[in-house]
Amino acid sequence: MPIGSPKNRLIEMGRDSEATRQRILEAATDEFAEHGIAGARVDRIATAASSNKQLIYQYFGNKDGLFRAVLARELAKAIEGVDFPLDDLERYAGAYFDFAMAQPRLMRLVAWCGLEVEGAIEGVPTPESKIARVSALQRSGKVSDRFSPEFILSTISSVCTAWVPSNWYASQLDPDAARHAARYRESIVRLIGLMIHPDAEPSPTASEG
């Protein structure tokens, strides 16, 4: 096929379009991680991406659509090759902690998402399958049923992301948390073990009065 044929020109245009789209997403990732959705500026994203506002709106519709595309892209990149072993919730907690500590930019995006986005995000897995898996572990007797699957998963998520730089409270408790990551990881895994082991003794309830 001749190099200058219409088909080859279309292929090159498609490649240029995809390269532009990826530049926009990368620039938007930095902008959203720093400023959130409300504070982000499309003008700054366009400049950083060597693009223009019209193309951004053409590709993503609006700023909210761009943020959703950014978060889905960053999550897909981050979890590629990461083993989250839901059959072993202690290993799952350890892997989750490692993942969170290694992804500070993504954790900032997730924090902004919790503040500014409502509803599901296309391309981001919903928790139903994880809830069902923990329920199955409880029915099999491998995991205690003292707590609901939702509470277990929420607790794991909370403690495993507690020491990321975007968590203001933890940064006040330990400004050098990254250097102490191994210690925190060990404590988190032990905590989740105490929470889920069927033979773990529950703490005695303090008497009232």
Side-chain angles (χ1 to χ4, degrees):
M1 183 181 296
I3 294 176
S5 70
K7 185 173 181 178
N8 275 338
R9 286 197 296 272
L10 285 174
I11 292 173
E12 286 301 315
M13 288 172 61
R15 288 173 180 165
D16 290 344
S17 176
E18 181 58 23
T20 301
R21 189 176 185 277
Q22 293 304 317
R23 288 200 311 274
I24 291 170
L25 285 169
E26 187 60 31
T29 301
D30 289 334
E31 179 75 9
F32 286 130
E34 182 67 25
H35 302 287
I37 301 176
R41 295 292 176 264
V42 175
D43 284 336
R44 289 197 295 255
I45 295 171
T47 299
S50 301
S51 182
N52 59 68
K53 291 172 65 175
Q54 288 71 29
L55 269 180
I56 292 175
Y57 293 125
Q58 179 182 324
Y59 287 145
F60 303 102
N62 53 35
K63 197 160 59 167
D64 181 73
L66 177 56
F67 179 85
R68 289 169 179 267
V70 161
L71 185 57
R73 172 182 180 259
E74 289 302 299
L75 277 171
K77 281 168 47 182
I79 66 176
E80 185 177 355
V82 177
D83 180 24
F84 289 112
L86 264 175
D87 286 341
D88 183 339
L89 290 177
E90 288 168 275
R91 282 185 58 221
Y92 173 76
Y96 199 145
F97 176 81
D98 293 340
F99 173 82
M101 295 298 286
Q103 304 289 338
R105 187 172 71 165
L106 175 58
M107 291 299 106
R108 287 183 64 87
L109 290 171
V110 170
W112 285 116
C113 182
L115 291 170
E116 299 187 280
V117 175
E118 294 183 3
I121 294 182
E122 185 177 353
V124 175
T126 55
E128 285 79 7
S129 62
K130 291 181 180 178
I131 292 171
R133 185 59 199 143
V134 176
S135 295
L137 291 171
Q138 289 178 320
R139 289 194 300 272
S140 72
K142 295 179 180 178
V143 169
S144 168
D145 62 1
R146 288 190 299 271
F147 305 102
S148 71
E150 294 84 355
F151 185 82
I152 290 172
L153 289 167
S154 176
T155 300
I156 291 174
S157 176
S158 297
V159 298
C160 288
T161 58
W163 301 101
V164 300
S166 54
N167 186 322
W168 178 87
Y169 185 65
S171 70
Q172 304 305 300
L173 293 172
D174 184 357
D176 208 12
R179 284 187 58 234
H180 306 143
R183 185 178 73 200
Y184 291 128
R185 187 188 196 279
E186 180 184 0
S187 296
I188 286 168
V189 171
R190 287 174 57 205
L191 173 66
I192 299 306
L194 290 170
M195 182 182 186
I196 66 170
H197 282 174
D199 57 351
E201 290 292 330
S203 298
T205 302
S207 61
E208 297 182 4

